[in-house]
Amino acid sequence: MERTLAIIKPDAVRRRLTGRILARIEEAGFQIRAMRLVQLTRTEAEGFYAVHRGKPFFPGLTEFMSSGPAVVLVLEAPGAIGRWRELMGATDPSKAAEGTLRREYGTSIGENATHGSDAPETAAFEIGYFFPGVELARAGGVG
Ligand code: GDP
């Protein structure tokens, strides 16, 4: 079993797409192990995306991520990191494959509806960023 951090970004929450995206997550076979609605401050968004500090899109990205509520989730499945990235599609919605969430719900490379961890190390950092010290429900538990 593997876990990944997923975010339903502020653009998607604003457009009332949360329920549809959650349905796609469950239909794809992920277990939701933790979930919160969060309003990030600019500083929290900068901490989460620290790896991108200094890139041209960093100010716009952190402004957008703190522009309204987002839903943060821990998803669990075999190969969850890769499978969630596959379901999301490419970063740029116009380049994302047909049937992916970003293709369907993203509107630009910046406002692309969802986030997912890209490796086990980033998943561990990102899960800890939003769910510090929380004992997550185990397989066979509440899920
Ligand atoms: P991801 O792992 O597919 O989310 O992509 P990255 O880790 O490379 O980038 C993080 C986020 O920054 C993306 O999801 C986009 O929202 C944003 N981003 C990345 N590249 C660009 C870009 O060239 N322009 C803009 N405006 N945003 C970008």
Side-chain angles (χ1 to χ4, degrees):
M1 275 299 168
E2 188 173 70
R3 287 175 176 173
T4 190
L5 185 89
I7 305 181
I8 303 174
K9 292 186 177 183
D11 57 325
V13 173
R14 214 160 11 239
R15 292 168 59 216
R16 298 185 169 86
L17 298 169
T18 301
R20 266 170 258 201
I21 293 172
L22 290 175
R24 293 283 301 272
I25 286 170
E26 293 193 314
E27 282 159 16
F30 294 97
Q31 288 290 351
I32 296 172
R33 289 295 174 208
M35 180 163 71
R36 289 171 60 204
L37 184 78
V38 296
Q39 167 69 62
L40 293 182
T41 64
R42 186 75 181 259
T43 305
E44 286 165 344
E46 288 172 355
F48 181 75
Y49 279 117
V51 65
H52 291 304
R53 193 179 286 276
K55 293 189 185 157
F57 59 85
F58 185 74
L61 172 63
T62 55
E63 183 184 6
F64 161 64
M65 287 302 287
S66 55
S67 68
V71 176
V72 293
L73 305 113
V74 177
L75 304 183
E76 184 179 87
I81 294 170
R83 281 177 57 194
W84 172 238
R85 289 187 70 83
E86 203 176 301
L87 181 58
M88 289 197 300
T91 308
D92 183 345
S94 69
K95 298 192 177 109
E98 204 63 55
T100 61
L101 294 171
R102 283 167 161 175
R103 175 64 172 258
E104 196 158 351
Y105 299 128
T107 50
S108 68
I109 189 165
E111 305 207 356
N112 57 3
T114 55
H115 165 85
S117 312
D118 63 3
E121 305 73 48
T122 41
F125 166 76
E126 293 179 355
I127 290 170
Y129 198 82
F130 287 111
F131 301 98
V134 172
E135 190 169 332
L136 302 170
R138 292 197 329 235
V142 295

PDB file of all heavy atoms in Angstrom, residues 10 18 69 80 93 102 113 115 124:
ATOM      1  N   PRO A  10      -8.105  25.567  -5.098  1.00  0.00           N
ATOM      2  CA  PRO A  10      -9.152  26.583  -4.915  1.00  0.00           C
ATOM      3  C   PRO A  10     -10.036  26.823  -6.147  1.00  0.00           C
ATOM      4  O   PRO A  10     -11.223  27.119  -6.001  1.00  0.00           O
ATOM      5  CB  PRO A  10      -8.351  27.844  -4.567  1.00  0.00           C
ATOM      6  CG  PRO A  10      -7.120  27.318  -3.897  1.00  0.00           C
ATOM      7  CD  PRO A  10      -6.792  26.043  -4.626  1.00  0.00           C
ATOM      8  N   THR A  18     -15.900  19.895  -6.121  1.00  0.00           N
ATOM      9  CA  THR A  18     -15.351  19.002  -5.097  1.00  0.00           C
ATOM     10  C   THR A  18     -16.022  17.627  -5.129  1.00  0.00           C
ATOM     11  O   THR A  18     -15.348  16.598  -5.137  1.00  0.00           O
ATOM     12  CB  THR A  18     -15.516  19.637  -3.696  1.00  0.00           C
ATOM     13  OG1 THR A  18     -14.827  20.879  -3.686  1.00  0.00           O
ATOM     14  CG2 THR A  18     -14.942  18.735  -2.613  1.00  0.00           C
ATOM     15  N   PRO A  69     -10.644  28.414  -0.218  1.00  0.00           N
ATOM     16  CA  PRO A  69     -10.502  27.099   0.391  1.00  0.00           C
ATOM     17  C   PRO A  69     -10.055  26.027  -0.613  1.00  0.00           C
ATOM     18  O   PRO A  69     -10.395  26.095  -1.795  1.00  0.00           O
ATOM     19  CB  PRO A  69     -11.905  26.769   0.912  1.00  0.00           C
ATOM     20  CG  PRO A  69     -12.727  27.979   0.724  1.00  0.00           C
ATOM     21  CD  PRO A  69     -12.003  28.943  -0.153  1.00  0.00           C
ATOM     22  N   ALA A  80      -0.263   4.359  -5.253  1.00  0.00           N
ATOM     23  CA  ALA A  80      -1.141   5.540  -5.190  1.00  0.00           C
ATOM     24  C   ALA A  80      -0.528   6.784  -5.837  1.00  0.00           C
ATOM     25  O   ALA A  80      -1.243   7.554  -6.489  1.00  0.00           O
ATOM     26  CB  ALA A  80      -1.499   5.845  -3.738  1.00  0.00           C
ATOM     27  N   PRO A  93      -3.552  21.598 -18.477  1.00  0.00           N
ATOM     28  CA  PRO A  93      -4.799  20.929 -18.880  1.00  0.00           C
ATOM     29  C   PRO A  93      -4.937  20.755 -20.399  1.00  0.00           C
ATOM     30  O   PRO A  93      -5.509  19.762 -20.854  1.00  0.00           O
ATOM     31  CB  PRO A  93      -5.887  21.863 -18.343  1.00  0.00           C
ATOM     32  CG  PRO A  93      -5.253  22.532 -17.169  1.00  0.00           C
ATOM     33  CD  PRO A  93      -3.796  22.706 -17.554  1.00  0.00           C
ATOM     34  N   ARG A 102      -7.546  16.976 -14.878  1.00  0.00           N
ATOM     35  CA  ARG A 102      -7.079  18.300 -15.289  1.00  0.00           C
ATOM     36  C   ARG A 102      -7.613  18.663 -16.665  1.00  0.00           C
ATOM     37  O   ARG A 102      -7.936  19.822 -16.935  1.00  0.00           O
ATOM     38  CB  ARG A 102      -5.558  18.356 -15.240  1.00  0.00           C
ATOM     39  CG  ARG A 102      -5.032  18.503 -13.798  1.00  0.00           C
ATOM     40  CD  ARG A 102      -3.563  18.249 -13.689  1.00  0.00           C
ATOM     41  NE  ARG A 102      -2.990  18.797 -12.465  1.00  0.00           N
ATOM     42  CZ  ARG A 102      -1.719  18.615 -12.102  1.00  0.00           C
ATOM     43  NH1 ARG A 102      -0.905  17.883 -12.859  1.00  0.00           N
ATOM     44  NH2 ARG A 102      -1.265  19.145 -10.986  1.00  0.00           N
ATOM     45  N   ALA A 113      -6.857  22.595 -11.113  1.00  0.00           N
ATOM     46  CA  ALA A 113      -7.862  21.805 -10.360  1.00  0.00           C
ATOM     47  C   ALA A 113      -7.346  20.881  -9.270  1.00  0.00           C
ATOM     48  O   ALA A 113      -7.996  20.715  -8.246  1.00  0.00           O
ATOM     49  CB  ALA A 113      -8.766  21.017 -11.316  1.00  0.00           C
ATOM     50  N   HIS A 115      -3.792  18.709  -7.260  1.00  0.00           N
ATOM     51  CA  HIS A 115      -2.363  18.511  -6.990  1.00  0.00           C
ATOM     52  C   HIS A 115      -2.143  17.077  -6.552  1.00  0.00           C
ATOM     53  O   HIS A 115      -3.013  16.483  -5.911  1.00  0.00           O
ATOM     54  CB  HIS A 115      -1.890  19.447  -5.870  1.00  0.00           C
ATOM     55  CG  HIS A 115      -0.550  19.054  -5.306  1.00  0.00           C
ATOM     56  ND1 HIS A 115       0.640  19.465  -5.880  1.00  0.00           N
ATOM     57  CD2 HIS A 115      -0.213  18.243  -4.268  1.00  0.00           C
ATOM     58  CE1 HIS A 115       1.651  18.922  -5.193  1.00  0.00           C
ATOM     59  NE2 HIS A 115       1.157  18.182  -4.215  1.00  0.00           N
ATOM     60  N   ALA A 124       5.640  12.013   1.733  1.00  0.00           N
ATOM     61  CA  ALA A 124       5.836  12.019   3.187  1.00  0.00           C
ATOM     62  C   ALA A 124       5.867  13.457   3.704  1.00  0.00           C
ATOM     63  O   ALA A 124       5.217  13.791   4.697  1.00  0.00           O
ATOM     64  CB  ALA A 124       7.130  11.295   3.547  1.00  0.00           C
TER      65      ALA A 124
END
